[in-house]
Amino acid sequence: MNIIPQDLKEKWMQPYIWDKALAEESLQYCARKIKEDMAVLAYACPSETAPDGHYQVIDNVAWTTGFWPGMIWSAYGATKDSIFLYGGKLQTALFQKRLEDDYVLQHHDIGFLYSLSAVADYTLTGSEEARQIGIRAAYRLMKLYREVPGIIQRGGNMEDLTDKFTGVFIVDCMLNVPLLFWAAEQTGDKKLYDAAYNHMKNSVNTIIQPNGAIIQHGIADVLNGTIVADSSQSQGKGGDDAAWGRGQAWAVYGLPLAYSYTKDPIFLDAAKAVNNYFLNHLPSDDVANWDLYYTEDEVQRDTSAASIAVCGLLEIADLLPTDDEYKTVYRNAALRILDSLNKNYRTQEGQDTMGLLDAGVYQMNSGKGVDQPTIWGDYYYIEALHRIHGGFRRFW
Ligand code: GLY
């Protein structure tokens, strides 16, 4: 498919002066909040979202529990405060146990769980034990790989071709695939690399529309290898004229990550198209609505889409060569969105909340987790702040 980046709206081409001091203050604020929240969550897992601002303690069962150790490790990376080192290690133990017990792991979100726990631990501490957990988790994720046509299935029984998830893959998986690329580098096992590469290439060829808008669901025929995109199934509004905000953001970040491991230019070209579509469909405060179909200011934002996209834009800005016209444009866009998060959506000292960012959305269509902090939005927010603070080491 020929994917063509849209021309960016004029405002993204203008220089932007952002509030660096506020970003630094926000990073310190986030680290303080994480330390406070560790009083409840040091050896526990938070719920997906924070109704009334409070994450509840849950069993290590959800696809989202890795974001909490990711926050703790980010705080450690940014501050070097040893309390976060101890907290991160406690979390690694929880994720080691989940892997040993094979507890609720028959799904593609193993990447979210283990990149931000075991791989983060290894990245910052060099722990061999953590590295081995990350590698074992990658091989667990490989059990979801379909050689024909080369996709990671979102979940379900791989032996049962009548399972409703047979051949189904989703754009969200672009952030699970980095665990395979990472483990391929660690082990030299090309099977891991090939699975990740094939999944990403099939995603680019099928679930990104020519204008750069993503479709969340791809459905592969695992016998003959054909793939169709299904825009009627989506966590967004659905339909070819819409793009689920967070799904678009998963692609904004997932594509440059794939490029960083493979150096295949198809991932950079596709990233430019999804980035430009994303940036051209934002409301006036630059923070995405829950679906990019809606660009009006009165619509519900999803701040998690914004924080994910900031990380992706900063990543691609780092990867692009200096003579690429988008290098500065994407960095400025990231800073502009981050500035808006800092000014308009960050929680405040004295507010009765455990969250870092208000106005996130889990599932708009079912009314679940709407207009509240989300643990993944909070994670990507601190990752973004850490990226611009300096000394950042990527966990993906
Ligand atoms: N990966 C699930 C979501 O973004 O809601």
PDB file of all heavy atoms in Angstrom, residues 63 108-109 112 170 172 216 235 244 246 250 362-363 376, ligand 1:
ATOM      1  N   TRP A  63      -3.175  -6.459  31.769  1.00  0.00           N
ATOM      2  CA  TRP A  63      -2.164  -6.171  30.753  1.00  0.00           C
ATOM      3  C   TRP A  63      -1.344  -4.938  31.123  1.00  0.00           C
ATOM      4  O   TRP A  63      -0.297  -4.680  30.534  1.00  0.00           O
ATOM      5  CB  TRP A  63      -2.804  -5.975  29.378  1.00  0.00           C
ATOM      6  CG  TRP A  63      -3.659  -4.723  29.235  1.00  0.00           C
ATOM      7  CD1 TRP A  63      -4.972  -4.598  29.575  1.00  0.00           C
ATOM      8  CD2 TRP A  63      -3.253  -3.437  28.729  1.00  0.00           C
ATOM      9  NE1 TRP A  63      -5.412  -3.315  29.318  1.00  0.00           N
ATOM     10  CE2 TRP A  63      -4.376  -2.582  28.785  1.00  0.00           C
ATOM     11  CE3 TRP A  63      -2.056  -2.921  28.222  1.00  0.00           C
ATOM     12  CZ2 TRP A  63      -4.345  -1.245  28.376  1.00  0.00           C
ATOM     13  CZ3 TRP A  63      -2.018  -1.591  27.807  1.00  0.00           C
ATOM     14  CH2 TRP A  63      -3.155  -0.774  27.888  1.00  0.00           C
ATOM     15  N   HIS A 108      -0.873 -10.990  23.804  1.00  0.00           N
ATOM     16  CA  HIS A 108       0.288 -10.281  23.234  1.00  0.00           C
ATOM     17  C   HIS A 108       0.879  -9.215  24.151  1.00  0.00           C
ATOM     18  O   HIS A 108       1.973  -8.702  23.886  1.00  0.00           O
ATOM     19  CB  HIS A 108      -0.108  -9.650  21.896  1.00  0.00           C
ATOM     20  CG  HIS A 108      -1.063  -8.510  22.012  1.00  0.00           C
ATOM     21  ND1 HIS A 108      -1.096  -7.474  21.092  1.00  0.00           N
ATOM     22  CD2 HIS A 108      -2.018  -8.209  22.932  1.00  0.00           C
ATOM     23  CE1 HIS A 108      -2.030  -6.608  21.444  1.00  0.00           C
ATOM     24  NE2 HIS A 108      -2.607  -7.036  22.540  1.00  0.00           N
ATOM     25  N   ASP A 109       0.189  -8.856  25.222  1.00  0.00           N
ATOM     26  CA  ASP A 109       0.643  -7.734  26.048  1.00  0.00           C
ATOM     27  C   ASP A 109       1.835  -8.072  26.947  1.00  0.00           C
ATOM     28  O   ASP A 109       2.246  -7.243  27.781  1.00  0.00           O
ATOM     29  CB  ASP A 109      -0.521  -7.197  26.883  1.00  0.00           C
ATOM     30  CG  ASP A 109      -1.549  -6.509  26.008  1.00  0.00           C
ATOM     31  OD1 ASP A 109      -1.139  -5.714  25.142  1.00  0.00           O
ATOM     32  OD2 ASP A 109      -2.754  -6.773  26.159  1.00  0.00           O
ATOM     33  N   PHE A 112       4.387  -5.256  27.049  1.00  0.00           N
ATOM     34  CA  PHE A 112       4.160  -4.174  28.013  1.00  0.00           C
ATOM     35  C   PHE A 112       4.592  -4.607  29.421  1.00  0.00           C
ATOM     36  O   PHE A 112       5.123  -3.814  30.189  1.00  0.00           O
ATOM     37  CB  PHE A 112       2.669  -3.802  28.082  1.00  0.00           C
ATOM     38  CG  PHE A 112       2.151  -3.023  26.899  1.00  0.00           C
ATOM     39  CD1 PHE A 112       1.128  -3.529  26.106  1.00  0.00           C
ATOM     40  CD2 PHE A 112       2.649  -1.769  26.599  1.00  0.00           C
ATOM     41  CE1 PHE A 112       0.623  -2.806  25.042  1.00  0.00           C
ATOM     42  CE2 PHE A 112       2.148  -1.037  25.530  1.00  0.00           C
ATOM     43  CZ  PHE A 112       1.130  -1.562  24.746  1.00  0.00           C
ATOM     44  N   ILE A 170      -3.581  -6.509  16.542  1.00  0.00           N
ATOM     45  CA  ILE A 170      -4.026  -5.120  16.714  1.00  0.00           C
ATOM     46  C   ILE A 170      -2.836  -4.165  16.785  1.00  0.00           C
ATOM     47  O   ILE A 170      -1.719  -4.569  17.110  1.00  0.00           O
ATOM     48  CB  ILE A 170      -4.964  -4.953  17.945  1.00  0.00           C
ATOM     49  CG1 ILE A 170      -4.347  -5.474  19.230  1.00  0.00           C
ATOM     50  CG2 ILE A 170      -6.298  -5.607  17.691  1.00  0.00           C
ATOM     51  CD1 ILE A 170      -5.250  -5.266  20.477  1.00  0.00           C
ATOM     52  N   ASP A 172      -2.038  -2.011  18.836  1.00  0.00           N
ATOM     53  CA  ASP A 172      -1.440  -1.902  20.170  1.00  0.00           C
ATOM     54  C   ASP A 172      -0.158  -2.732  20.280  1.00  0.00           C
ATOM     55  O   ASP A 172       0.748  -2.416  21.045  1.00  0.00           O
ATOM     56  CB  ASP A 172      -2.412  -2.398  21.253  1.00  0.00           C
ATOM     57  CG  ASP A 172      -3.855  -1.996  21.037  1.00  0.00           C
ATOM     58  OD1 ASP A 172      -4.284  -1.905  19.870  1.00  0.00           O
ATOM     59  OD2 ASP A 172      -4.576  -1.795  22.022  1.00  0.00           O
ATOM     60  N   GLN A 216      -7.473  -0.206  13.983  1.00  0.00           N
ATOM     61  CA  GLN A 216      -6.940  -0.978  15.115  1.00  0.00           C
ATOM     62  C   GLN A 216      -6.758  -2.455  14.786  1.00  0.00           C
ATOM     63  O   GLN A 216      -5.758  -3.059  15.165  1.00  0.00           O
ATOM     64  CB  GLN A 216      -7.824  -0.825  16.364  1.00  0.00           C
ATOM     65  CG  GLN A 216      -7.174  -1.472  17.590  1.00  0.00           C
ATOM     66  CD  GLN A 216      -8.043  -1.503  18.826  1.00  0.00           C
ATOM     67  OE1 GLN A 216      -9.216  -1.155  18.787  1.00  0.00           O
ATOM     68  NE2 GLN A 216      -7.473  -1.928  19.945  1.00  0.00           N
ATOM     69  N   GLN A 235     -11.457   0.337  19.445  1.00  0.00           N
ATOM     70  CA  GLN A 235     -11.708   1.013  20.715  1.00  0.00           C
ATOM     71  C   GLN A 235     -12.032   2.482  20.472  1.00  0.00           C
ATOM     72  O   GLN A 235     -12.319   3.219  21.399  1.00  0.00           O
ATOM     73  CB  GLN A 235     -10.488   0.887  21.643  1.00  0.00           C
ATOM     74  CG  GLN A 235     -10.500  -0.412  22.425  1.00  0.00           C
ATOM     75  CD  GLN A 235      -9.214  -0.668  23.190  1.00  0.00           C
ATOM     76  OE1 GLN A 235      -8.412  -1.499  22.812  1.00  0.00           O
ATOM     77  NE2 GLN A 235      -9.012   0.044  24.277  1.00  0.00           N
ATOM     78  N   TRP A 244      -8.812   5.764  16.180  1.00  0.00           N
ATOM     79  CA  TRP A 244      -8.766   5.726  17.655  1.00  0.00           C
ATOM     80  C   TRP A 244      -7.484   6.450  18.100  1.00  0.00           C
ATOM     81  O   TRP A 244      -6.384   6.129  17.648  1.00  0.00           O
ATOM     82  CB  TRP A 244      -8.770   4.271  18.080  1.00  0.00           C
ATOM     83  CG  TRP A 244      -8.568   4.001  19.525  1.00  0.00           C
ATOM     84  CD1 TRP A 244      -9.119   4.668  20.583  1.00  0.00           C
ATOM     85  CD2 TRP A 244      -7.740   2.971  20.081  1.00  0.00           C
ATOM     86  NE1 TRP A 244      -8.696   4.113  21.763  1.00  0.00           N
ATOM     87  CE2 TRP A 244      -7.843   3.071  21.485  1.00  0.00           C
ATOM     88  CE3 TRP A 244      -6.942   1.971  19.537  1.00  0.00           C
ATOM     89  CZ2 TRP A 244      -7.166   2.222  22.347  1.00  0.00           C
ATOM     90  CZ3 TRP A 244      -6.272   1.117  20.389  1.00  0.00           C
ATOM     91  CH2 TRP A 244      -6.387   1.238  21.778  1.00  0.00           C
ATOM     92  N   ARG A 246      -5.601   6.631  20.854  1.00  0.00           N
ATOM     93  CA  ARG A 246      -4.484   5.906  21.461  1.00  0.00           C
ATOM     94  C   ARG A 246      -3.885   4.907  20.469  1.00  0.00           C
ATOM     95  O   ARG A 246      -2.676   4.685  20.454  1.00  0.00           O
ATOM     96  CB  ARG A 246      -4.907   5.209  22.748  1.00  0.00           C
ATOM     97  CG  ARG A 246      -3.721   4.626  23.488  1.00  0.00           C
ATOM     98  CD  ARG A 246      -3.998   4.335  24.942  1.00  0.00           C
ATOM     99  NE  ARG A 246      -4.953   3.292  25.200  1.00  0.00           N
ATOM    100  CZ  ARG A 246      -6.200   3.467  25.604  1.00  0.00           C
ATOM    101  NH1 ARG A 246      -6.685   4.682  25.791  1.00  0.00           N
ATOM    102  NH2 ARG A 246      -7.002   2.447  25.823  1.00  0.00           N
ATOM    103  N   TRP A 250      -0.078   4.507  19.491  1.00  0.00           N
ATOM    104  CA  TRP A 250       0.742   3.280  19.535  1.00  0.00           C
ATOM    105  C   TRP A 250       1.610   3.191  18.278  1.00  0.00           C
ATOM    106  O   TRP A 250       2.775   2.783  18.325  1.00  0.00           O
ATOM    107  CB  TRP A 250      -0.109   2.020  19.659  1.00  0.00           C
ATOM    108  CG  TRP A 250      -0.842   1.790  20.958  1.00  0.00           C
ATOM    109  CD1 TRP A 250      -2.148   1.378  21.092  1.00  0.00           C
ATOM    110  CD2 TRP A 250      -0.327   1.897  22.305  1.00  0.00           C
ATOM    111  NE1 TRP A 250      -2.471   1.244  22.425  1.00  0.00           N
ATOM    112  CE2 TRP A 250      -1.369   1.556  23.194  1.00  0.00           C
ATOM    113  CE3 TRP A 250       0.906   2.258  22.833  1.00  0.00           C
ATOM    114  CZ2 TRP A 250      -1.220   1.562  24.589  1.00  0.00           C
ATOM    115  CZ3 TRP A 250       1.060   2.269  24.220  1.00  0.00           C
ATOM    116  CH2 TRP A 250       0.002   1.927  25.081  1.00  0.00           C
ATOM    117  N   TYR A 362      -9.834   4.807  29.125  1.00  0.00           N
ATOM    118  CA  TYR A 362      -9.555   3.400  28.823  1.00  0.00           C
ATOM    119  C   TYR A 362     -10.429   2.979  27.636  1.00  0.00           C
ATOM    120  O   TYR A 362      -9.915   2.808  26.533  1.00  0.00           O
ATOM    121  CB  TYR A 362      -9.804   2.551  30.066  1.00  0.00           C
ATOM    122  CG  TYR A 362      -9.377   1.094  29.943  1.00  0.00           C
ATOM    123  CD1 TYR A 362      -8.775   0.604  28.788  1.00  0.00           C
ATOM    124  CD2 TYR A 362      -9.559   0.215  31.010  1.00  0.00           C
ATOM    125  CE1 TYR A 362      -8.375  -0.725  28.693  1.00  0.00           C
ATOM    126  CE2 TYR A 362      -9.157  -1.112  30.924  1.00  0.00           C
ATOM    127  CZ  TYR A 362      -8.575  -1.573  29.765  1.00  0.00           C
ATOM    128  OH  TYR A 362      -8.179  -2.892  29.677  1.00  0.00           O
ATOM    129  N   GLN A 363     -11.737   2.856  27.883  1.00  0.00           N
ATOM    130  CA  GLN A 363     -12.625   2.440  26.786  1.00  0.00           C
ATOM    131  C   GLN A 363     -13.845   3.355  26.739  1.00  0.00           C
ATOM    132  O   GLN A 363     -14.760   3.215  27.559  1.00  0.00           O
ATOM    133  CB  GLN A 363     -13.075   0.999  26.983  1.00  0.00           C
ATOM    134  CG  GLN A 363     -11.970   0.007  26.741  1.00  0.00           C
ATOM    135  CD  GLN A 363     -12.346  -1.404  27.130  1.00  0.00           C
ATOM    136  OE1 GLN A 363     -13.506  -1.709  27.418  1.00  0.00           O
ATOM    137  NE2 GLN A 363     -11.376  -2.274  27.147  1.00  0.00           N
ATOM    138  N   TRP A 376      -0.993   3.675  32.208  1.00  0.00           N
ATOM    139  CA  TRP A 376      -0.081   3.759  31.059  1.00  0.00           C
ATOM    140  C   TRP A 376       0.142   5.218  30.655  1.00  0.00           C
ATOM    141  O   TRP A 376       1.260   5.593  30.285  1.00  0.00           O
ATOM    142  CB  TRP A 376      -0.588   2.922  29.878  1.00  0.00           C
ATOM    143  CG  TRP A 376      -1.960   3.290  29.399  1.00  0.00           C
ATOM    144  CD1 TRP A 376      -2.279   4.209  28.433  1.00  0.00           C
ATOM    145  CD2 TRP A 376      -3.203   2.755  29.880  1.00  0.00           C
ATOM    146  NE1 TRP A 376      -3.644   4.277  28.280  1.00  0.00           N
ATOM    147  CE2 TRP A 376      -4.232   3.392  29.149  1.00  0.00           C
ATOM    148  CE3 TRP A 376      -3.552   1.806  30.832  1.00  0.00           C
ATOM    149  CZ2 TRP A 376      -5.588   3.113  29.361  1.00  0.00           C
ATOM    150  CZ3 TRP A 376      -4.899   1.528  31.040  1.00  0.00           C
ATOM    151  CH2 TRP A 376      -5.901   2.180  30.312  1.00  0.00           C
TER     152      TRP A 376
HETATM  153  N1  GLY B   1      -3.659  -2.032  24.635  1.00  0.00           N
HETATM  154  C1  GLY B   1      -4.949  -1.741  25.063  1.00  0.00           C
HETATM  155  C2  GLY B   1      -5.287  -0.307  25.060  1.00  0.00           C
HETATM  156  O1  GLY B   1      -4.554   0.533  24.585  1.00  0.00           O
HETATM  157  O2  GLY B   1      -6.366  -0.004  25.536  1.00  0.00           O
END
